[in-house]
Amino acid sequence: MPTPTLLVLDTEPLPRLGRLTGSARIEHTDAAGLAERLPHADVLLVWDFTSRAVRDAWPGEGPRPRWVHTASAGVDHLMCPELAASDTVVTNARGIFDQPIAEYVAALVLAMAKDLPRTLELQRERTWRHRESLKIAGGRAVVVGSGPIGRAIARTLGALDITTALVGRAARSGVHGPEDLDRLLARADWVIAAAPLTGETHGMFDARRFGLMQPSARFVNIGRGQLVVEDALAEALAKRWIAGAALDVFEAEPLPAESPLWQAPGLIVSPHMSGDTIGWRDELGAQFVELYEQWAAGEPLKNVVDKQRGYVPGH
């Protein structure tokens, strides 16, 4: 049996794939060369998970990789109708980002509750101004997205004594369905968006939903930028419909310098870094190597994405 060809859509730093020497013919490409090389690859590793090149380069009915793995939790950047309709298996990096993102959300909750951004601003001004801060224990949170990341967020907020409701695609044990979301939003102190980007979730946080929230509520998005109608959030903050927000993901990334979100009152902006802890790229590479060895041995793959739903089902 010939050695499989593994094509890597690259970005720096490159993945460490030395363990696959002899078991894969490893080739590298950038976005410009992807379309030409895809038909000759058995496996595609989308290491540059910010690229949307796969959407444009996918060969449709022609020869194509049997397996595509993306080094990210989301798959919206690569999914196109031709890939979704094909027999190509798609896997993702489920499991790598769960706890780091949960910790980041907890940090944002604490920072907003304790007014840390203002404290740092006053320190730069050398201004001594006593204030009172918010006690978070006993509060309520809603996490929209009941996958591993959402569940890790719920556990971590629970450790802070915040009662947390999970909302998923459908109701099941321990998870609310979408029909409960509006009711839960109206009572929540903290609203966390952690859902995958699908047709149902695109733009789900709009003016109506921000209007349902309490004036004291705060909103956090670590899911996908397109979950939020950004103009509606900016208006909600400006009109004090909600007390604050934190965004780690945006519709356009990097966030353009002219975006009004930079100056939105009560908004914390961070550059899509919630899951990126020291050593995260090595973990992503090691995860892919393990999956490749399973694939090469003919074993069932983990983290197989339902290409119609856009995420790994069963959680």
Side-chain angles (χ1 to χ4, degrees), residues 105-115 132-141 156-164 188-190 216 218:
V105 169
L108 290 171
V109 167
L110 286 165
M112 287 190 280
K114 304 307 177 184
D115 199 21
E132 296 176 343
S133 64
L134 179 69
K135 184 176 81 170
I136 63 173
R140 292 191 179 106
T156 304
L157 294 182
L160 297 173
D161 197 22
I162 299 174
T163 301
T164 304
D189 302 296
W190 306 95
S216 59
R218 290 166 173 84

Side-chain angles (χ1 to χ4, degrees), residues 68-156:
V68 173
H69 177 79
T70 178
S72 61
V75 299
D76 49 279
H77 59 290
L78 60 85
M79 201 58 65
C80 59
E82 293 80 10
L83 174 54
S86 74
D87 58 0
T88 297
V89 175
V90 176
T91 57
N92 72 354
R94 182 168 70 106
I96 299 295
F97 302 106
D98 306 355
Q99 191 55 36
I101 290 177
E103 292 171 4
Y104 198 87
V105 169
L108 290 171
V109 167
L110 286 165
M112 287 190 280
K114 304 307 177 184
D115 199 21
L116 293 184
R118 182 61 175 154
T119 294
L120 295 173
E121 182 181 339
L122 290 170
Q123 179 181 346
R124 286 191 294 270
E125 297 172 358
R126 303 189 181 193
T127 300
W128 182 279
R129 184 174 301 161
H130 180 269
R131 287 115 55 226
E132 296 176 343
S133 64
L134 179 69
K135 184 176 81 170
I136 63 173
R140 292 191 179 106
V142 175
V143 178
V144 182
S146 59
I149 292 173
R151 295 200 304 270
I153 293 169
R155 287 194 303 270
T156 304

Side-chain angles (χ1 to χ4, degrees), residues 160-183:
L160 297 173
D161 197 22
I162 299 174
T163 301
T164 304
L166 279 170
V167 178
R169 185 173 183 266
R172 58 188 186 277
S173 178
V175 177
H176 294 267
E179 64 276 5
D180 291 337
L181 178 57
D182 288 356
R183 174 178 60 83

Side-chain angles (χ1 to χ4, degrees), residues 9-313:
L9 179 59
D10 276 339
T11 188
E12 295 288 345
L14 300 180
R16 297 182 180 182
L17 302 175
R19 208 166 94 188
L20 300 184
T21 301
S23 63
R25 181 185 301 106
I26 302 173
E27 300 180 357
H28 298 266
T29 186
D30 58 12
L34 183 62
E36 180 182 353
R37 290 175 175 267
L38 264 179
H40 309 290
D42 297 293
V43 179
L44 172 65
L45 168 57
V46 185
W47 188 247
D48 183 3
F49 56 81
T50 65
S51 172
R52 299 174 71 85
V54 176
R55 283 175 167 264
D56 299 325
W58 192 254
E61 296 299 322
R64 55 187 179 266
R66 290 175 280 160
W67 168 35
V68 173
H69 177 79
T70 178
S72 61
V75 299
D76 49 279
H77 59 290
L78 60 85
M79 201 58 65
C80 59
E82 293 80 10
L83 174 54
S86 74
D87 58 0
T88 297
V89 175
V90 176
T91 57
N92 72 354
R94 182 168 70 106
I96 299 295
F97 302 106
D98 306 355
Q99 191 55 36
I101 290 177
E103 292 171 4
Y104 198 87
V105 169
L108 290 171
V109 167
L110 286 165
M112 287 190 280
K114 304 307 177 184
D115 199 21
L116 293 184
R118 182 61 175 154
T119 294
L120 295 173
E121 182 181 339
L122 290 170
Q123 179 181 346
R124 286 191 294 270
E125 297 172 358
R126 303 189 181 193
T127 300
W128 182 279
R129 184 174 301 161
H130 180 269
R131 287 115 55 226
E132 296 176 343
S133 64
L134 179 69
K135 184 176 81 170
I136 63 173
R140 292 191 179 106
V142 175
V143 178
V144 182
S146 59
I149 292 173
R151 295 200 304 270
I153 293 169
R155 287 194 303 270
T156 304
L157 294 182
L160 297 173
D161 197 22
I162 299 174
T163 301
T164 304
L166 279 170
V167 178
R169 185 173 183 266
R172 58 188 186 277
S173 178
V175 177
H176 294 267
E179 64 276 5
D180 291 337
L181 178 57
D182 288 356
R183 174 178 60 83
L184 293 168
L185 289 179
R187 303 173 60 197
D189 302 296
W190 306 95
V191 178
I192 318 297
L197 180 61
T198 67
E200 291 76 24
T201 62
H202 191 286
M204 69 182 303
F205 289 100
D206 55 11
R208 186 185 72 82
R209 286 253 162 80
F210 289 123
L212 289 173
M213 297 179 195
Q214 302 181 88
S216 59
R218 290 166 173 84
F219 173 76
V220 177
N221 185 16
I222 48 77
R224 281 290 181 265
Q226 292 85 352
L227 300 178
V228 177
V229 179
E230 292 178 348
D231 288 346
L233 174 60
E235 181 181 18
L237 290 167
K239 293 183 176 179
R240 301 293 194 269
W241 292 351
I242 60 175
L247 300 180
D248 187 57
V249 288
F250 301 86
E251 188 168 2
E253 295 183 5
L255 184 65
E258 64 274 13
S259 171
L261 292 175
W262 289 108
Q263 301 297 324
L267 178 63
I268 297 174
V269 170
S270 60
H272 203 150
M273 59 180 285
S274 61
D276 301 349
T277 51
I278 294 170
W280 66 287
R281 290 184 177 88
D282 289 340
E283 291 183 50
L284 288 171
Q287 181 190 53
F288 174 75
V289 168
E290 181 180 341
L291 287 171
Y292 183 91
E293 290 173 343
Q294 291 173 349
W295 177 83
E299 299 173 3
L301 284 169
K302 301 176 184 177
N303 294 3
V304 175
V305 172
D306 183 320
K307 294 185 290 183
Q308 303 304 320
R309 295 183 181 181
Y311 55 87
V312 179

